Amino acid sequence: MDDLERIGESLQRGDHHAVAELTAAAIAAGVPAIEILERGLLAGMDVVGRRFGAHEIFLPEVLLAARAMKAGMDLVKPRLVSGAAPSRGTVVLGTVKGDVHDIGKNLVGIMLEGAGYEVVDLGTGVAADAFVETAIAREASVIGLSALLTTTMGGMREVVDRLRERDPERRIKVIVGGAPLTQAFADSIGADGYSWDAAGAVELVRRLLEAA
Ligand code: B1M
């Protein structure tokens, strides 16, 4: 097992101390943050997700893994976010109503900031009106919606519908993402774009704003 696999393995055990130590050591050894994220933290969380789905582990273990993920993400974040580049536009981001999953959403936020966008992160369990009113008040170019539950995906349609009432000229774009989503679902609710991962979300925002 190499050092990055060890990060993933510690995350699976929910050992946030080990994840923090190993992540700090990898950073100090010059391993690129994106590699730590993908081969260490995300790879570990992937296994947790599969084992949870297969009923091999239960909610308390997943909570510990999420805490360990956060410990690692807090350390890699400053290395993924660039610095003082002028803002390329504002994105209002959040997880929809009824849904507390925020790891993927946070990753999208980190990557967007890293690419020079200003991110207004509304957190989790966000009501449709809060997305729409914040986007208008902050003169945002994009609303980014995340959902991890099949039962909360429907909340995305509500955001699109409310936004179209308040912004009929479609100046503000809506992008959606999260494990249960598909392009077909995004099309069906009238979203402007869908991405299956955080890097794709950045590319999508860039393309939408270039075309605007
Ligand atoms: Co929950 N959970 N969970 N969970 N959880 C899932 C989502 C589940 C698939 C697990 C399973 O059964 N295999 C399942 C959903 C089933 C379904 O709806 N069909 C599930 C369930 C059932 C539940 C509860 C209902 C469990 C219960 O209470 N009995 C409950 C719901 C609570 C609620 O929200 N109301 C629950 C709770 C939790 C915890 C709190 C314990 C914890 C969340 C902690 C936190 O987020 N702070 C948790 C976790 C960690 C997971 C799994 C294991 C991992 C999710 C994760 O963080 N992945 C997850 C299993 C899985 O997804 N395979 C699961 C890592 C993260 C980086 O990936 O979020 O997919 P992800 O983000 C990706 C892409 O999706 C994309 O980019 C990211 C990567 O680049 N993306 C976007 C995400 N948002 C985007 C937005 C974009 C673009 C891309 O544009 C705006």
PDB file of all heavy atoms in Angstrom, residues 132-156:
ATOM      1  N   VAL A 132     -32.612  31.612  -5.202  1.00  0.00           N
ATOM      2  CA  VAL A 132     -33.014  32.605  -6.204  1.00  0.00           C
ATOM      3  C   VAL A 132     -32.764  34.024  -5.692  1.00  0.00           C
ATOM      4  O   VAL A 132     -32.152  34.851  -6.385  1.00  0.00           O
ATOM      5  CB  VAL A 132     -34.509  32.398  -6.561  1.00  0.00           C
ATOM      6  CG1 VAL A 132     -35.001  33.519  -7.467  1.00  0.00           C
ATOM      7  CG2 VAL A 132     -34.698  31.035  -7.220  1.00  0.00           C
ATOM      8  N   GLU A 133     -33.207  34.293  -4.466  1.00  0.00           N
ATOM      9  CA  GLU A 133     -33.063  35.659  -3.944  1.00  0.00           C
ATOM     10  C   GLU A 133     -31.591  36.020  -3.740  1.00  0.00           C
ATOM     11  O   GLU A 133     -31.182  37.156  -3.996  1.00  0.00           O
ATOM     12  CB  GLU A 133     -33.867  35.826  -2.643  1.00  0.00           C
ATOM     13  CG  GLU A 133     -35.370  35.664  -2.812  1.00  0.00           C
ATOM     14  CD  GLU A 133     -35.952  36.474  -3.981  1.00  0.00           C
ATOM     15  OE1 GLU A 133     -35.521  37.625  -4.200  1.00  0.00           O
ATOM     16  OE2 GLU A 133     -36.829  35.937  -4.694  1.00  0.00           O
ATOM     17  N   THR A 134     -30.785  35.060  -3.292  1.00  0.00           N
ATOM     18  CA  THR A 134     -29.355  35.365  -3.109  1.00  0.00           C
ATOM     19  C   THR A 134     -28.700  35.634  -4.459  1.00  0.00           C
ATOM     20  O   THR A 134     -27.894  36.563  -4.600  1.00  0.00           O
ATOM     21  CB  THR A 134     -28.624  34.195  -2.405  1.00  0.00           C
ATOM     22  OG1 THR A 134     -29.310  33.884  -1.204  1.00  0.00           O
ATOM     23  CG2 THR A 134     -27.172  34.542  -2.107  1.00  0.00           C
ATOM     24  N   ALA A 135     -29.038  34.834  -5.459  1.00  0.00           N
ATOM     25  CA  ALA A 135     -28.418  35.011  -6.783  1.00  0.00           C
ATOM     26  C   ALA A 135     -28.748  36.395  -7.339  1.00  0.00           C
ATOM     27  O   ALA A 135     -27.879  37.074  -7.910  1.00  0.00           O
ATOM     28  CB  ALA A 135     -28.890  33.923  -7.729  1.00  0.00           C
ATOM     29  N   ILE A 136     -30.000  36.823  -7.150  1.00  0.00           N
ATOM     30  CA  ILE A 136     -30.395  38.141  -7.663  1.00  0.00           C
ATOM     31  C   ILE A 136     -29.683  39.239  -6.869  1.00  0.00           C
ATOM     32  O   ILE A 136     -29.087  40.151  -7.441  1.00  0.00           O
ATOM     33  CB  ILE A 136     -31.934  38.291  -7.625  1.00  0.00           C
ATOM     34  CG1 ILE A 136     -32.537  37.356  -8.686  1.00  0.00           C
ATOM     35  CG2 ILE A 136     -32.354  39.737  -7.866  1.00  0.00           C
ATOM     36  CD1 ILE A 136     -34.035  37.158  -8.588  1.00  0.00           C
ATOM     37  N   ALA A 137     -29.710  39.117  -5.535  1.00  0.00           N
ATOM     38  CA  ALA A 137     -29.089  40.143  -4.684  1.00  0.00           C
ATOM     39  C   ALA A 137     -27.582  40.255  -4.941  1.00  0.00           C
ATOM     40  O   ALA A 137     -27.024  41.359  -4.923  1.00  0.00           O
ATOM     41  CB  ALA A 137     -29.361  39.832  -3.215  1.00  0.00           C
ATOM     42  N   ARG A 138     -26.934  39.140  -5.190  1.00  0.00           N
ATOM     43  CA  ARG A 138     -25.462  39.150  -5.372  1.00  0.00           C
ATOM     44  C   ARG A 138     -25.045  39.293  -6.832  1.00  0.00           C
ATOM     45  O   ARG A 138     -23.870  39.218  -7.178  1.00  0.00           O
ATOM     46  CB  ARG A 138     -24.851  37.861  -4.796  1.00  0.00           C
ATOM     47  CG  ARG A 138     -25.073  37.678  -3.299  1.00  0.00           C
ATOM     48  CD  ARG A 138     -24.301  38.694  -2.471  1.00  0.00           C
ATOM     49  NE  ARG A 138     -22.867  38.497  -2.581  1.00  0.00           N
ATOM     50  CZ  ARG A 138     -22.124  37.827  -1.693  1.00  0.00           C
ATOM     51  NH1 ARG A 138     -22.705  37.339  -0.618  1.00  0.00           N
ATOM     52  NH2 ARG A 138     -20.831  37.686  -1.871  1.00  0.00           N
ATOM     53  N   GLU A 139     -26.054  39.498  -7.700  1.00  0.00           N
ATOM     54  CA  GLU A 139     -25.798  39.608  -9.147  1.00  0.00           C
ATOM     55  C   GLU A 139     -24.952  38.435  -9.647  1.00  0.00           C
ATOM     56  O   GLU A 139     -23.977  38.612 -10.387  1.00  0.00           O
ATOM     57  CB  GLU A 139     -25.142  40.953  -9.476  1.00  0.00           C
ATOM     58  CG  GLU A 139     -26.038  42.122  -9.087  1.00  0.00           C
ATOM     59  CD  GLU A 139     -25.462  43.464  -9.488  1.00  0.00           C
ATOM     60  OE1 GLU A 139     -24.249  43.548  -9.742  1.00  0.00           O
ATOM     61  OE2 GLU A 139     -26.248  44.412  -9.567  1.00  0.00           O
ATOM     62  N   ALA A 140     -25.344  37.251  -9.226  1.00  0.00           N
ATOM     63  CA  ALA A 140     -24.601  36.055  -9.617  1.00  0.00           C
ATOM     64  C   ALA A 140     -24.876  35.702 -11.076  1.00  0.00           C
ATOM     65  O   ALA A 140     -25.916  36.049 -11.633  1.00  0.00           O
ATOM     66  CB  ALA A 140     -25.009  34.884  -8.721  1.00  0.00           C
ATOM     67  N   SER A 141     -23.931  35.012 -11.692  1.00  0.00           N
ATOM     68  CA  SER A 141     -24.106  34.539 -13.068  1.00  0.00           C
ATOM     69  C   SER A 141     -24.668  33.127 -13.091  1.00  0.00           C
ATOM     70  O   SER A 141     -25.285  32.714 -14.064  1.00  0.00           O
ATOM     71  CB  SER A 141     -22.754  34.511 -13.792  1.00  0.00           C
ATOM     72  OG  SER A 141     -22.050  35.696 -13.575  1.00  0.00           O
ATOM     73  N   VAL A 142     -24.398  32.374 -12.023  1.00  0.00           N
ATOM     74  CA  VAL A 142     -24.758  30.949 -12.021  1.00  0.00           C
ATOM     75  C   VAL A 142     -25.263  30.536 -10.638  1.00  0.00           C
ATOM     76  O   VAL A 142     -24.742  30.996  -9.619  1.00  0.00           O
ATOM     77  CB  VAL A 142     -23.521  30.076 -12.375  1.00  0.00           C
ATOM     78  CG1 VAL A 142     -23.856  28.589 -12.313  1.00  0.00           C
ATOM     79  CG2 VAL A 142     -22.958  30.415 -13.762  1.00  0.00           C
ATOM     80  N   ILE A 143     -26.273  29.660 -10.640  1.00  0.00           N
ATOM     81  CA  ILE A 143     -26.668  28.953  -9.411  1.00  0.00           C
ATOM     82  C   ILE A 143     -26.243  27.492  -9.594  1.00  0.00           C
ATOM     83  O   ILE A 143     -26.564  26.876 -10.613  1.00  0.00           O
ATOM     84  CB  ILE A 143     -28.188  29.013  -9.174  1.00  0.00           C
ATOM     85  CG1 ILE A 143     -28.640  30.458  -8.910  1.00  0.00           C
ATOM     86  CG2 ILE A 143     -28.594  28.120  -7.997  1.00  0.00           C
ATOM     87  CD1 ILE A 143     -30.154  30.617  -8.736  1.00  0.00           C
ATOM     88  N   GLY A 144     -25.515  26.959  -8.613  1.00  0.00           N
ATOM     89  CA  GLY A 144     -25.068  25.561  -8.671  1.00  0.00           C
ATOM     90  C   GLY A 144     -25.785  24.751  -7.612  1.00  0.00           C
ATOM     91  O   GLY A 144     -25.703  25.072  -6.425  1.00  0.00           O
ATOM     92  N   LEU A 145     -26.492  23.714  -8.038  1.00  0.00           N
ATOM     93  CA  LEU A 145     -27.295  22.905  -7.117  1.00  0.00           C
ATOM     94  C   LEU A 145     -26.731  21.505  -7.007  1.00  0.00           C
ATOM     95  O   LEU A 145     -26.437  20.859  -8.017  1.00  0.00           O
ATOM     96  CB  LEU A 145     -28.729  22.793  -7.646  1.00  0.00           C
ATOM     97  CG  LEU A 145     -29.464  24.107  -7.926  1.00  0.00           C
ATOM     98  CD1 LEU A 145     -30.799  23.810  -8.597  1.00  0.00           C
ATOM     99  CD2 LEU A 145     -29.680  24.877  -6.630  1.00  0.00           C
ATOM    100  N   SER A 146     -26.621  21.032  -5.770  1.00  0.00           N
ATOM    101  CA  SER A 146     -26.144  19.672  -5.534  1.00  0.00           C
ATOM    102  C   SER A 146     -27.231  18.871  -4.817  1.00  0.00           C
ATOM    103  O   SER A 146     -27.925  19.403  -3.941  1.00  0.00           O
ATOM    104  CB  SER A 146     -24.876  19.730  -4.668  1.00  0.00           C
ATOM    105  OG  SER A 146     -24.387  18.431  -4.431  1.00  0.00           O
ATOM    106  N   ALA A 147     -27.383  17.609  -5.190  1.00  0.00           N
ATOM    107  CA  ALA A 147     -28.295  16.689  -4.480  1.00  0.00           C
ATOM    108  C   ALA A 147     -27.706  15.294  -4.539  1.00  0.00           C
ATOM    109  O   ALA A 147     -27.191  14.864  -5.570  1.00  0.00           O
ATOM    110  CB  ALA A 147     -29.683  16.697  -5.120  1.00  0.00           C
ATOM    111  N   LEU A 148     -27.766  14.593  -3.404  1.00  0.00           N
ATOM    112  CA  LEU A 148     -27.228  13.226  -3.346  1.00  0.00           C
ATOM    113  C   LEU A 148     -28.318  12.192  -3.146  1.00  0.00           C
ATOM    114  O   LEU A 148     -28.051  10.991  -3.183  1.00  0.00           O
ATOM    115  CB  LEU A 148     -26.213  13.128  -2.198  1.00  0.00           C
ATOM    116  CG  LEU A 148     -24.721  13.301  -2.513  1.00  0.00           C
ATOM    117  CD1 LEU A 148     -24.155  12.072  -3.195  1.00  0.00           C
ATOM    118  CD2 LEU A 148     -24.481  14.509  -3.373  1.00  0.00           C
ATOM    119  N   LEU A 149     -29.536  12.661  -2.910  1.00  0.00           N
ATOM    120  CA  LEU A 149     -30.621  11.713  -2.645  1.00  0.00           C
ATOM    121  C   LEU A 149     -31.631  11.764  -3.786  1.00  0.00           C
ATOM    122  O   LEU A 149     -31.959  12.860  -4.273  1.00  0.00           O
ATOM    123  CB  LEU A 149     -31.334  12.076  -1.330  1.00  0.00           C
ATOM    124  CG  LEU A 149     -30.492  12.026  -0.053  1.00  0.00           C
ATOM    125  CD1 LEU A 149     -31.297  12.575   1.126  1.00  0.00           C
ATOM    126  CD2 LEU A 149     -30.027  10.604   0.243  1.00  0.00           C
ATOM    127  N   THR A 150     -32.117  10.602  -4.175  1.00  0.00           N
ATOM    128  CA  THR A 150     -33.144  10.589  -5.229  1.00  0.00           C
ATOM    129  C   THR A 150     -34.389  11.348  -4.746  1.00  0.00           C
ATOM    130  O   THR A 150     -35.098  11.935  -5.553  1.00  0.00           O
ATOM    131  CB  THR A 150     -33.524   9.140  -5.608  1.00  0.00           C
ATOM    132  OG1 THR A 150     -33.649   8.384  -4.408  1.00  0.00           O
ATOM    133  CG2 THR A 150     -32.457   8.490  -6.458  1.00  0.00           C
ATOM    134  N   THR A 151     -34.595  11.352  -3.422  1.00  0.00           N
ATOM    135  CA  THR A 151     -35.782  12.022  -2.888  1.00  0.00           C
ATOM    136  C   THR A 151     -35.660  13.543  -2.870  1.00  0.00           C
ATOM    137  O   THR A 151     -36.658  14.236  -2.704  1.00  0.00           O
ATOM    138  CB  THR A 151     -36.063  11.545  -1.449  1.00  0.00           C
ATOM    139  OG1 THR A 151     -34.836  11.634  -0.715  1.00  0.00           O
ATOM    140  CG2 THR A 151     -36.574  10.122  -1.417  1.00  0.00           C
ATOM    141  N   THR A 152     -34.459  14.089  -3.002  1.00  0.00           N
ATOM    142  CA  THR A 152     -34.316  15.559  -2.951  1.00  0.00           C
ATOM    143  C   THR A 152     -34.037  16.178  -4.322  1.00  0.00           C
ATOM    144  O   THR A 152     -34.076  17.403  -4.457  1.00  0.00           O
ATOM    145  CB  THR A 152     -33.199  15.974  -1.971  1.00  0.00           C
ATOM    146  OG1 THR A 152     -31.968  15.359  -2.380  1.00  0.00           O
ATOM    147  CG2 THR A 152     -33.522  15.582  -0.556  1.00  0.00           C
ATOM    148  N   MET A 153     -33.779  15.316  -5.316  1.00  0.00           N
ATOM    149  CA  MET A 153     -33.498  15.834  -6.663  1.00  0.00           C
ATOM    150  C   MET A 153     -34.614  16.752  -7.162  1.00  0.00           C
ATOM    151  O   MET A 153     -34.362  17.737  -7.853  1.00  0.00           O
ATOM    152  CB  MET A 153     -33.390  14.674  -7.659  1.00  0.00           C
ATOM    153  CG  MET A 153     -32.168  13.838  -7.540  1.00  0.00           C
ATOM    154  SD  MET A 153     -32.410  12.241  -8.371  1.00  0.00           S
ATOM    155  CE  MET A 153     -32.823  12.682 -10.033  1.00  0.00           C
ATOM    156  N   GLY A 154     -35.856  16.402  -6.799  1.00  0.00           N
ATOM    157  CA  GLY A 154     -37.016  17.167  -7.257  1.00  0.00           C
ATOM    158  C   GLY A 154     -36.943  18.636  -6.847  1.00  0.00           C
ATOM    159  O   GLY A 154     -37.487  19.505  -7.537  1.00  0.00           O
ATOM    160  N   GLY A 155     -36.249  18.907  -5.744  1.00  0.00           N
ATOM    161  CA  GLY A 155     -36.103  20.292  -5.273  1.00  0.00           C
ATOM    162  C   GLY A 155     -35.397  21.170  -6.293  1.00  0.00           C
ATOM    163  O   GLY A 155     -35.548  22.402  -6.281  1.00  0.00           O
ATOM    164  N   MET A 156     -34.660  20.548  -7.189  1.00  0.00           N
ATOM    165  CA  MET A 156     -33.933  21.320  -8.196  1.00  0.00           C
ATOM    166  C   MET A 156     -34.900  21.953  -9.205  1.00  0.00           C
ATOM    167  O   MET A 156     -34.701  23.064  -9.659  1.00  0.00           O
ATOM    168  CB  MET A 156     -32.935  20.430  -8.926  1.00  0.00           C
ATOM    169  CG  MET A 156     -31.813  19.959  -8.006  1.00  0.00           C
ATOM    170  SD  MET A 156     -30.713  18.820  -8.839  1.00  0.00           S
ATOM    171  CE  MET A 156     -29.247  18.980  -7.829  1.00  0.00           C
TER     172      MET A 156
END
